[in-house]
Amino acid sequence: MAYRLVLAILAAALCAAPGWAQELHVPNAGFEEGDADTIAHWTLENGPGRATTENPGEGIRSALLDGDPESTSYWRSEPLPFAPRTIYALHYLVKQEGDGGGPPIAGPVFANDVLYNLEQGRWAQKNYVFQTPDEIGPERAWLRLGQARMAEGATVAYDAVRVVPVQPVNRWAEDIELGFGERIEGNRFYSAPMWDNTFRNQHRSLYSYNNTVYNLNAFLMGDGSEVVMRHEVGNRQHLNGEITVRPLYYFSGTLVVEASADGEDWVEVYRFTEREGLKLELPESLFPASAIWVRMRCEADETVGIDLDLGALGVSVYEFYSDIDGPPVDLTGATDYVEVLERDPEIPVTVIETGDLVPYGDNLYVVEIENPSDAPMPVTARVTVEQEGTVVYDQRFSATLAPASPSRLSLPYEMYDYGDHVVTVSFDEGPQYAARSVKYVSPLFATGYGERLPGSTDDATLWWASSGWRVARRTPVPEAQGEAIRIGLARNETEAAQ
């Protein structure tokens, strides 16, 4: 059945965003091709490793490396067609046997996923989000699956590699967009990438970077390295600004911090020549400003290398604060990621909201579509929800988009229980576009337990459950009807109910 949608027609044009393409082709991503000693389309660098058929994650083979406390070794992919300044997710399986020494490492060579605290002997699914640099040639456009000085006798295996473009979905309030690590309290704006918490380089304020390697929680910098941050708050003006910068370590060289109101004319703010961090006031001449750019660049004797070379210094803490104009507001940012499976170059589509992605929550996917034509455009959107591989929700929604303007479609969906879920939005008519959210729902949202109790009214329903259940605020009332709370126990046992 098709449902008529309410369209929210926007007055303003869509903001430009970094582009993305469909899933990148990773040759021999499951390591099935090759002989006993080699893996087709992958090169073994710096140490011992092999293909193994022993307990693979998928298929019949996986890629294995032996620990070496004296070196960093890895399987290196062929160059991949990464687009510059684009956000991707790397999905892969990993299994470590034996501990001690350094960690397994994975990711594109310019952004390392460092894998501390893996559960020994079990395959783990990893999903690593990263942003590519502004300039990326074949020499730095490959994946590394490796180990960094793991103990002798330890091994790490990899399997089922995928690289997909993702779109960050931030929190909106009217024209204000805030990502994770950002908030507004009244008229005070605060933004921090919180690299120590997220262990990924992507953040709403990260504008660009070049000639640097992101490792675990810091940008490793040598001569020519630079990281540029950009801060804007809807249509608000920054009235002043401060930043906190703290190097994670310092060996040599200079970290030059500069600021700009347009990204072209830069004013030097400070030069770090030691590890100590500082809070710095930005020059008054930059304000008021609709956006503030901050550039951190390194002057040193040598560039930073790719094999976990620490370079001259590393930057791990960056924070930005400002007072903004306009009415006061309290808003805390958040960021989710959706996989872009297919996109239409002629009809741009952007996900604005994904909803709560929990059973009985505020589950509403909101997408924004740009109709480039001068005529109304009929569209039919489809939303499916899979739970543990089984489709539990499948609905189509029809609408007509206004000509030559962007429109928003609100697409409701339902989730019913805990476990692995995939919510996919696609179009039967209109743009050639598909995106999906992958979410594990906690057992907190389990249903089907408990009993209704006598004495319920129109205003309140009484029901009970064993004390072993954690009950979510939105858990629906059970269908089963009981006469009373029942507790059964043997001698010297205790039990409770709720």
Side-chain angles (χ1 to χ4, degrees), residues 88-377:
Y88 295 92
L90 169 65
H91 303 300
Y92 62 98
L93 294 172
V94 60
K95 181 181 66 171
Q96 182 178 357
E97 300 274 7
D99 55 11
I105 56 171
V109 68
F110 49 80
N112 291 316
D113 191 9
V114 183
L115 303 169
Y116 289 108
N117 303 318
L118 287 175
E119 185 178 356
Q120 299 294 306
R122 295 178 64 90
W123 285 102
Q125 175 69 57
K126 292 296 180 179
N127 308 296
Y128 181 56
V129 173
F130 60 90
Q131 180 171 318
T132 56
D134 258 24
E135 300 173 3
I136 180 167
E139 70 281 357
R140 289 208 173 196
W142 43 275
L143 297 178
R144 169 170 50 198
L145 306 175
Q147 64 85 31
R149 298 177 176 87
M150 288 172 53
E152 186 175 355
T155 62
V156 60
Y158 296 92
D159 211 339
V161 179
R162 293 177 59 234
V163 179
V164 296
V166 295
Q167 180 210 322
V169 181
N170 299 312
R171 181 165 294 170
W172 287 82
E174 298 181 354
D175 70 313
I176 296 176
E177 177 188 15
L178 296 185
F180 178 80
E182 296 184 305
R183 69 177 186 269
I184 301 174
E185 297 176 353
N187 287 90
R188 187 68 171 170
F189 172 64
Y190 171 85
S191 176
M194 300 179 70
W195 291 315
D196 275 332
N197 290 20
T198 63
F199 306 115
R200 61 173 178 260
N201 67 7
Q202 197 282 320
H203 188 261
R204 192 181 77 93
S205 65
L206 178 62
Y207 183 74
S208 65
Y209 69 96
N210 269 316
N211 303 316
T212 177
V213 173
Y214 182 81
N215 187 69
L216 181 63
N217 62 350
F219 281 98
L220 316 184
M221 306 183 79
D223 191 54
S225 299
E226 72 170 33
V227 177
V228 180
M229 313 297 288
R230 183 177 186 269
H231 303 282
E232 61 177 349
V233 189
N235 294 321
R236 305 294 185 95
Q237 294 275 308
H238 297 285
L239 305 179
N240 51 47
E242 297 176 308
I243 58 172
T244 294
V245 178
R246 184 167 65 248
L248 177 66
Y249 59 87
Y250 174 86
F251 297 136
S252 63
T254 302
L255 179 66
V256 183
V257 180
E258 301 163 312
S260 172
D262 59 10
E264 296 182 3
D265 297 321
W266 296 92
V267 178
E268 186 171 303
V269 177
Y270 193 78
R271 286 177 167 256
F272 285 88
T273 55
E274 58 185 356
R275 181 182 176 184
E276 183 179 358
L278 291 173
K279 176 179 275 191
L280 306 168
E281 291 190 10
L282 300 183
E284 293 182 3
S285 60
L286 299 176
F287 302 96
S290 58
I292 289 292
W293 280 259
V294 176
R295 181 167 66 186
M296 296 170 283
R297 59 182 181 86
C298 182
E299 297 176 351
D301 292 335
E302 296 182 354
T303 60
V304 66
I306 60 174
D307 283 340
L308 301 187
D309 175 13
L310 295 178
L313 53 91
V315 176
S316 64
V317 174
Y318 170 85
E319 299 172 354
F320 174 88
Y321 325 82
S322 72
D323 292 313
I324 57 175
D325 67 358
V329 63
D330 290 320
L331 180 63
T332 299
T335 303
D336 291 316
Y337 296 93
V338 298
E339 295 184 7
V340 182
L341 307 176
E342 185 178 12
R343 66 181 292 268
D344 191 326
E346 304 298 328
I347 308 175
V349 179
T350 303
V351 178
I352 303 299
E353 298 179 23
T354 61
D356 290 343
L357 294 170
V358 296
Y360 309 102
D362 184 11
N363 291 328
L364 194 69
Y365 234 94
V366 180
V367 297
E368 194 165 81
I369 307 172
E370 177 78 40
N371 181 2
S373 72
D374 294 329
M377 176 187 295

Side-chain angles (χ1 to χ4, degrees), residues 362-445:
D362 184 11
N363 291 328
L364 194 69
Y365 234 94
V366 180
V367 297
E368 194 165 81
I369 307 172
E370 177 78 40
N371 181 2
S373 72
D374 294 329
M377 176 187 295
V379 298
T380 300
R382 181 181 183 183
V383 184
T384 61
V385 179
E386 295 176 61
Q387 177 186 328
E388 303 289 349
T390 300
V391 175
V392 296
Y393 181 89
D394 188 351
Q395 295 288 353
R396 289 172 171 79
F397 304 86
S398 296
T400 300
L401 307 184
S405 65
S407 303
R408 287 190 179 181
L409 309 185
S410 297
L411 309 172
Y413 61 92
E414 297 290 344
M415 300 170 72
Y416 305 103
D417 213 336
Y418 69 96
D420 290 316
H421 287 73
V422 178
V423 181
T424 303
V425 173
S426 58
F427 288 84
D428 294 343
E429 181 182 20
Q432 294 180 349
Y433 176 87
R436 71 175 189 173
S437 295
V438 180
K439 176 71 177 289
Y440 173 74
V441 176
S442 165
L444 174 65
F445 295 95

